[in-house]
Amino acid sequence: TQLPDLQLPCFTGGQKVTLTAIKAPAVINFWASWCGPCRTELPVIQGLATREAGRLTVLGVDTGDEREAGASFAAAKQVTMPTLVDADKSLFYKLAGQALPMTVFIDKTGHRTIYRLPLTDKTLPEQVHAHTGVTVTR
């Protein structure tokens, strides 16, 4: 149940990130500019990244998106968390992705849980605690 041994490019350029090197506990959120529910969920995930910096790794993955559309969407939603690009959906498919948004929770042992519903300010703290063991604030 570990993450696949893949490398994805950073959204802003630079070195590729090896997924197996992501520090746990972690929350990895898959989104795209064309995804309606992502428009509501992404600010919730960004809020988590901002509040829990240093305690919890929070990453975004722009999935199956055109780079300019993703960049415009991320800027409009004031996304500052680290974000990777999965343009061909290789990681999404390796995790049996079906629809966006999708969130992967990784506990401190590296065990992953896939959550396939949009998260809200109410459900995100509950899911983070249930699947990573980390208690977070709203």
Side-chain angles (χ1 to χ4, degrees):
T1 60
Q2 305 285 332
L3 285 176
D5 189 17
L6 282 177
Q7 289 186 332
L8 292 178
C10 289
F11 194 74
T12 56
Q15 303 257 342
K16 289 186 174 188
V17 172
T18 302
L19 296 174
T20 55
I22 291 174
K23 182 181 175 222
V27 176
I28 304 172
N29 180 254
F30 291 74
W31 60 269
S33 63
W34 45 262
C35 164
C38 298
R39 295 184 176 280
T40 304
E41 183 187 62
L42 194 56
V44 173
I45 301 296
Q46 177 59 56
L48 175 71
T50 300
R51 286 188 312 276
E52 302 302 330
R55 287 184 12 144
L56 185 66
T57 300
V58 181
L59 297 172
V61 180
D62 185 17
T63 306
D65 213 351
E66 302 254 339
R67 190 159 186 97
E68 286 189 22
S72 176
F73 176 64
K77 295 297 181 182
Q78 301 179 332
V79 174
T80 59
M81 68 181 155
T83 300
L84 306 176
V85 177
D86 188 21
D88 64 0
K89 297 184 177 182
S90 58
L91 175 59
F92 184 72
Y93 291 137
K94 283 190 182 286
L95 295 174
Q98 299 167 356
L100 292 175
M102 179 177 88
T103 304
V104 178
F105 296 96
I106 304 169
D107 70 15
K108 63 184 175 187
T109 68
H111 175 80
R112 67 176 160 85
T113 302
I114 297 174
Y115 190 81
R116 299 182 192 280
L117 298 171
L119 291 156
T120 66
D121 283 327
K122 181 177 183 341
T123 60
L124 182 60
E126 296 165 358
Q127 294 303 316
V128 169
H129 182 70
H131 301 298
T132 69
V134 176
T135 300
V136 298
T137 60
R138 288 189 214 192

